[in-house]
Amino acid sequence: MKTFRLMTYNVHRCVGTDRKLDVERVAEVIAAERPDVVALQELDVGRARTQSVDQAHRLAELLKMSFHFHPAMAVEEELYGDAILTALPERRIKAQGLPLYRRVPGLEPRGALWIEVEVGGAKVQIINTHLGLVPQEQKRQAAALLGPEWIGDEAWRAPGVLLGDFNATPYSATYRMLRTALRDAQAPSPAWLRPATATFPSSFPFMRIDHVFVTKGLETRAVSSPYDARARIASDHLPLVIDLEITDAGDRAAEAAAR
């Protein structure tokens, strides 16, 4: 049986709800869950507001993982964006921006990062993203992720995962768009019947805006979100942690893609 543990976590530039900048505290929250792959959103790299720390590099160093970082926004030497950390064998496939909604000026640029990891000999595609706040913006970005540059790319082969902070609840048009092509790892299935877990806000989580979407060939085996005092204060989001199993169908798909 091939299983691996994913985490998606909006770390709010490692500034907690107590307004304290603490990269090490965020690393402790992550380490306590022992994930194989960590998708992070809202990281600062070299920004004066967070003491010019390269947060992606520092977290990877503390967790003893390799990492890839994509700056969705750059202001001279200051960067802000998303990362994927893992201790599994991996390679970067693609990183680039997502469409802006120009009818609303001043919106924060958004992007996505795609890597391939190897789990027990099977290759798994993983895309981390952080969508915008405006519904029309989100829909354009979701359409781009489902299009030929991302999930429609010939390099995208099942099994695969799209995860991150989508700023979209299960009642939104954006979420429904993504569900046309992918399965919510928390959706009820013969293998998973438990209620879904919310992660925002961290003090009293009642909203599901952090999601893990999966292709065929992956089955959900566990879902959790730490709610101890450290996790509640480290960021305004809680991490979402999901254990996935690569099924026989997923193994066959991965083997076919490797040929």
Side-chain angles (χ1 to χ4, degrees), residues 73-171:
M73 183 170 67
V75 182
E76 296 182 351
E77 299 299 316
E78 296 192 3
L79 307 176
Y80 173 75
D82 314 309
I84 303 178
L85 283 59
T86 185
L88 297 171
E90 50 77 23
R91 69 184 182 101
R92 175 170 163 153
I93 305 293
K94 182 182 294 186
Q96 64 185 45
L98 294 173
L100 289 169
Y101 185 56
R102 300 191 184 279
R103 292 186 181 182
V104 179
L107 291 176
E108 181 182 302
R110 305 289 175 164
L113 172 62
W114 174 2
I115 74 166
E116 178 183 86
V117 299
E118 189 172 313
V119 181
K123 293 179 178 179
V124 182
Q125 310 303 315
I126 298 177
I127 297 174
N128 175 28
T129 193
H130 185 193
L131 301 191
L133 296 170
V134 176
Q136 289 300 323
E137 174 192 21
Q138 289 176 5
K139 288 191 286 186
R140 291 168 192 267
Q141 292 164 353
L145 288 166
L146 295 174
E149 293 189 344
W150 295 96
I151 289 174
D153 190 303
E154 63 180 12
W156 174 268
R157 305 281 183 87
V161 180
L162 170 65
L163 77 172
D165 177 359
F166 293 82
N167 279 312
T169 72
Y171 304 102

Side-chain angles (χ1 to χ4, degrees), residues 191-215:
W192 187 255
L193 299 173
R194 297 184 183 179
T197 298
T199 54
F200 183 81
S202 58
S203 58
F204 186 75
F206 67 93
M207 293 180 67
R208 286 187 59 210
I209 57 175
D210 301 299
H211 301 292
V212 175
F213 297 100
V214 298
T215 65

Side-chain angles (χ1 to χ4, degrees), residues 10-42:
N10 182 324
V11 297
H12 194 245
R13 63 185 188 277
C14 297
V15 175
T17 56
D18 58 356
R19 300 185 181 180
K20 181 181 177 182
L21 171 65
D22 195 336
V23 179
E24 285 71 20
R25 179 171 60 187
V26 169
E28 290 168 1
V29 172
I30 297 169
E33 301 304 310
R34 303 182 66 173
D36 298 300
V37 181
V38 186
L40 300 175
Q41 305 87 41
E42 293 195 15

